[in-house]
Amino acid sequence: MRIRIARVTARTSDIAKAAGVLRAGGLVALPTETVYGLGANAEDPAAVSRIFQVKGRPPSHPLIVHIGGARLLDDWVEDVPATARLLAERFWPGPLTLVLRRGQRVPLEATGGLETVAVRVPDHPVALALLEAFGGGVTAPSANRFGSVSPTTANDVRAELGDAVDFVLDGGPCQVGVESTIVDATGDAPSILRPGGVTREDLEAVLGSPPAVPSTSRVRVPGQHPSHYAPRARVVLVEPEKVVAEAELAQELGHQVGVFLPAALAGAAVKAHAVVAVPGSMALYARGLYGFLRELDQRGCDLIIASLPVEKGLGLAIANRLRRAAGPRPTM
């Protein structure tokens, strides 16, 4: 099946076609402010199962259900605590996902068999127009193969998934660039299960105290696999002051080395195969992170040397993604 691309202006007819694909059980790649998602009708178990097949994703890994507004939350979940409503009112539409008790509309195929469901409202006009035209919820993990670098442009989707997608809506480059923050909101003390586009500091300002960021959780959520968001090249994390020396040593040993050069070392000469100058702005770094990883893959690097940013604000999400990218690779 040939992919059709609806451009950033997304005419009404393009939205209508995409909604029709969803109703027919097809898959639509859609833009959000975070990354591009691989969407299916959230109430169609067969369509949801096809997402797992296309991505090569284990069926035990839950998906996020995207809905058209906070007013619809009670249609999809049960027992919403007051803190969850507060967070929804403050951050939706936006890059925040709430984990709550599953409502009857959500099939277990979408939750990995759990009685909880992850829900959010995307902050992108094309995604919101599609949700309105479709009239239901859309399950949409990132539109890439399981564990690999998430797509932030329509071309990334095409390169990654080819004709496995029935329809692609091009909404331009994603403006946040890393996935949503996932918050366990099943109780009165919310905790961050995956750092993302809404920072811990943002949440603290609303909740009155900083939410916990546990290293492990009883709730399974997207992005918890030890190796995730990973390029083909192996990622090695070192202290910022050691980036240049480690990169040059690896290059001398025969690697095709890509370097994430920290902003503090801007302009430094590095003997390496390819160098990406990391922005000093964490917002710009987050927006470009996955593009940087894809670029170094495309330039033939087999090893990427990087350091972690200060883990405040969006730096926490960036550090999370880099650690997962550097995680243990699966053995064959």
Side-chain angles (χ1 to χ4, degrees):
M1 185 179 299
R2 296 180 66 85
I3 291 181
R4 292 168 289 174
I5 299 291
R7 288 295 165 191
V8 62
T9 49
R11 297 184 302 271
T12 301
S13 60
D14 299 323
I15 299 296
K17 289 177 183 177
V21 170
L22 292 173
R23 292 189 194 100
L27 301 185
V28 172
L30 65 149
T32 76
E33 78 280 23
T34 57
V35 300
Y36 273 73
L38 181 62
N41 179 355
E43 297 179 81
D44 182 341
V48 172
S49 295
R50 190 175 160 212
I51 289 178
F52 290 94
Q53 295 165 7
V54 168
K55 284 179 62 71
R57 180 187 182 103
S60 60
H61 284 239
L63 305 177
I64 295 174
V65 176
H66 294 68
I67 61 176
R71 69 190 185 281
L72 302 173
L73 185 58
D74 290 292
D75 293 345
W76 296 92
V77 304
E78 296 181 354
D79 300 331
V80 183
T83 50
R85 292 198 189 280
L86 180 64
L87 293 174
E89 290 170 2
R90 170 60 182 82
F91 293 109
W92 284 357
L96 177 72
T97 294
L98 298 177
V99 175
L100 293 160
R101 290 192 50 164
R102 177 181 72 93
Q104 292 303 305
R105 292 182 70 175
V106 184
L108 288 171
E109 285 81 357
T111 69
L114 300 177
E115 288 300 330
T116 55
V117 62
V119 184
R120 89 175 186 99
V121 180
D123 188 14
H124 195 291
V126 174
L128 290 172
L130 175 60
L131 286 164
E132 182 178 0
F134 175 56
V138 174
T139 49
S142 55
N144 59 292
R145 303 293 178 188
F146 179 70
S148 66
V149 178
S150 301
T152 53
T153 69
N155 284 339
D156 292 343
V157 178
R158 298 180 73 187
E160 182 87 10
L161 297 181
D163 61 2
V165 185
D166 301 320
F167 198 89
V168 177
L169 286 171
D170 187 346
C174 299
Q175 294 303 298
V176 174
V178 292
E179 291 83 356
S180 60
T181 302
I182 299 180
V183 170
D184 181 358
T186 54
D188 291 326
S191 60
I192 297 174
L193 304 183
R194 180 182 71 182
V198 170
T199 68
R200 189 185 190 202
E201 293 81 359
D202 293 333
L203 294 167
E204 180 181 0
V206 174
L207 297 172
S209 61
V213 188
S215 57
T216 60
S217 169
R218 61 183 174 79
V219 180
R220 296 194 306 271
V221 296
Q224 285 184 320
H225 194 273
S227 177
H228 217 91
Y229 318 113
R232 292 190 299 274
R234 185 165 64 94
V235 177
V236 174
L237 301 176
V238 301
E239 295 299 319
E241 65 273 13
K242 296 181 179 179
V243 166
V244 172
E246 292 290 339
E248 292 185 342
L249 175 60
Q251 188 75 21
E252 290 175 5
L253 292 174
H255 288 285
Q256 296 288 88
V257 178
V259 181
F260 273 24
L261 189 66
L265 300 177
V270 188
K271 296 177 182 177
H273 182 68
V275 178
V276 167
V278 171
S281 160
M282 289 298 99
L284 292 178
Y285 192 177
R287 188 181 304 170
L289 174 61
Y290 293 144
F292 299 153
L293 292 171
R294 288 179 181 274
E295 176 188 346
L296 294 182
D297 263 349
Q298 292 164 2
R299 294 178 68 176
C301 297
D302 61 29
L303 182 68
I304 296 173
I305 304 293
S307 62
L308 298 178
V310 175
E311 296 185 42
K312 293 182 179 180
L314 282 172
L316 180 62
I318 295 167
N320 171 270
R321 302 313 190 268
L322 287 173
R323 285 197 180 95
R324 298 291 181 178
R329 298 301 176 95
T331 56
M332 301 302 291

